[in-house]
Amino acid sequence: MRYTSTAKKLKELYPESYPFVFRHGINTLKYFAPAFGIYPTFFEDKATGKIKHGVTDPGFKKMVEYLNKFHKEGLTPPDWLSMDYKAWTQFITTNKSFMTIQFIGQIEIMNSQLQNGAHLKFMAPPVGYGSKAYIPNTNFEEFGFAVSSKTKNLDAALRYLDFIYSKEGPYHYQEYSRARGI
């Protein structure tokens, strides 16, 4: 694979570097998975129209093997699954990493922080498991609320949702979440 050979060459030239860096923690799997023809959640298989669970697909195992190979060969930092934005930025702006999975809008933000003519460019994503490179469709919200049409407490459920979206609700919800470590 072209990206692996490039990463190995960069590691050879810059032994203290980690050519690949990711900032999304475990969500890296979500952004990397489409290159392997899957999503690590439930998704519709376009070929069959059936709903699949990505973690049970053979492509998921291939993706984990691929990422494990990066890790074993020192091509990603040891803490890549828990890296935050600050650490990721540090790797990119100090020439300790050269490739990343990131939203295209982030390129402009990062380029304004780079010095000495360094800049990031968009490149096609890697081909993982199969024959197509994919960029994940992330223009949707994954979290939300729903109320069953068969609930016996419809009025109470709707009042609760009204409260959550009220001026008082988010504050109380944040306090509740913080107090419980959520």
Side-chain angles (χ1 to χ4, degrees):
M1 178 172 278
R2 180 177 66 181
Y3 291 99
T4 305
S5 59
T6 300
K8 286 180 181 181
K9 184 65 174 175
L10 286 165
K11 183 71 172 177
E12 181 184 311
L13 294 171
Y14 307 96
E16 300 300 314
S17 74
Y18 295 101
F20 284 107
V21 66
F22 311 108
R23 78 168 180 102
H24 298 100
I26 196 72
N27 277 333
T28 296
L29 301 178
K30 177 172 69 175
Y31 302 123
F32 213 76
F36 293 82
I38 56 138
Y39 285 85
T41 58
F42 291 97
F43 69 101
E44 180 183 0
D45 182 338
K46 299 294 182 190
T48 66
K50 294 185 178 189
I51 300 299
K52 294 174 73 175
H53 191 215
V55 298
T56 63
D57 190 276
F60 190 83
K61 182 178 180 183
K62 293 285 185 191
M63 176 185 64
V64 170
E65 289 170 348
Y66 192 80
L67 291 168
N68 186 43
K69 182 178 178 182
F70 288 171
H71 175 72
K72 283 184 176 179
E73 294 180 8
L75 303 177
T76 58
D79 60 344
W80 70 273
L81 276 174
S82 61
M83 188 170 289
D84 63 9
Y85 183 80
K86 183 178 179 181
W88 174 82
T89 301
Q90 189 70 21
F91 273 94
I92 295 292
T93 60
T94 60
N95 293 323
K96 297 288 184 199
S97 289
F98 311 101
M99 294 181 277
T100 189
I101 292 178
Q102 191 47 260
F103 303 110
I104 199 163
Q106 189 69 36
I107 290 175
E108 186 177 323
I109 294 167
M110 291 306 298
N111 282 342
S112 70
Q113 297 178 45
L114 296 172
Q115 299 175 5
N116 301 323
H119 62 280
L120 297 175
K121 286 187 174 181
F122 174 78
M123 63 186 196
V127 176
Y129 179 63
S131 60
K132 295 181 181 179
Y134 290 93
I135 297 175
N137 178 5
T138 59
N139 62 347
F140 58 89
E141 183 59 52
E142 299 174 334
F143 305 101
F145 295 100
V147 178
S148 170
S149 62
K150 297 179 182 182
T151 185
K152 295 178 183 176
N153 299 307
L154 181 60
D155 288 340
L158 294 176
R159 280 194 316 274
Y160 176 69
L161 289 176
D162 284 343
F163 167 73
I164 288 176
Y165 289 101
S166 72
K167 288 182 182 180
E168 298 83 19
Y171 173 77
H172 287 86
Y173 180 73
Q174 288 173 357
E175 290 299 313
Y176 173 84
S177 299
R178 236 188 319 266
R180 284 157 184 77
I182 298 173

